[in-house]
Amino acid sequence: LNGKLIMSWSMVLYHPLEHLAYIRWTSPDLYPPSSGASTTIKNANRLSALSCRFWFAYIIIDIVQAIYRIEQIKRQKKKELVLCGDEESDDLVQLDRSMVDERLRGLRSLLFTFPCYSWSLSDWDTNPWLSETYE
């Protein structure tokens, strides 16, 4: 399967679930009284955890793609160095910029994994993996 296709579908599934969770948190009166407020909140938390699992898949694939692109840039840079020798060409400068961009992208995604993993857990609201409070 294509990584971009998986990333696209993960966002197609993430966003509606996250919006549903938000609606359940902010407007519990939209649901019948028989469901109970605590049940509505629990369902919202489950929907949010499920949506974050799709986000987590997106992040992991983004990291893998960044690593793959960094390897491609390295190969291109080696070819360019063979062709140009020690001269600094515009292509080499562009490859260096692309390398920095991909490394930053990978780092950004890597940093997103920690809160995303925490929110993906089924009991993220009662037993968080990462505490949000400072003691």
Side-chain angles (χ1 to χ4, degrees):
L1 283 173
N2 185 347
K4 290 180 182 179
L5 181 65
I6 296 171
M7 291 171 75
S8 297
W9 275 106
S10 69
M11 287 294 104
V12 165
L13 296 168
Y14 163 78
H15 284 286
L17 289 170
E18 193 63 27
H19 285 80
L20 268 173
Y22 179 76
I23 290 170
R24 287 192 177 207
W25 282 319
T26 58
S27 303
D29 16 326
L30 291 177
Y31 300 95
S34 62
S35 66
S38 65
T39 305
T40 302
I41 296 299
K42 284 182 183 177
N43 288 338
N45 293 341
R46 286 186 190 130
L47 284 171
S48 180
L50 182 60
S51 72
C52 285
R53 291 174 189 160
F54 289 112
W55 180 34
F56 192 72
Y58 177 94
I59 291 169
I60 297 302
I61 293 168
D62 194 37
I63 291 170
V64 169
Q65 284 188 337
I67 292 169
Y68 178 73
R69 278 190 294 275
I70 287 169
E71 292 303 316
Q72 281 184 319
I73 292 168
K74 285 179 182 177
R75 285 192 295 275
Q76 285 178 317
K77 193 172 178 181
K78 282 182 184 177
K79 288 179 186 176
E80 192 67 30
L81 285 171
V82 169
L83 293 174
C84 295
D86 290 337
E87 291 180 28
E88 192 71 21
S89 72
D90 291 339
D91 290 338
L92 282 173
V93 171
Q94 185 60 36
L95 288 172
D96 287 338
R97 286 183 186 152
S98 296
M99 179 75 78
V100 169
D101 289 345
E102 290 303 325
R103 286 181 176 165
L104 287 174
R105 181 176 165 191
L107 177 63
R108 180 205 63 201
S109 291
L110 182 66
L111 292 174
F112 276 143
T113 59
F114 299 107
C116 185
Y117 173 76
S118 178
W119 297 329
S120 295
L121 300 174
S122 59
D123 60 346
W124 69 268
D125 57 325
T126 56
N127 187 20
W129 181 64
L130 294 176
S131 176
E132 294 180 8
T133 59
Y134 299 100
E135 294 180 25

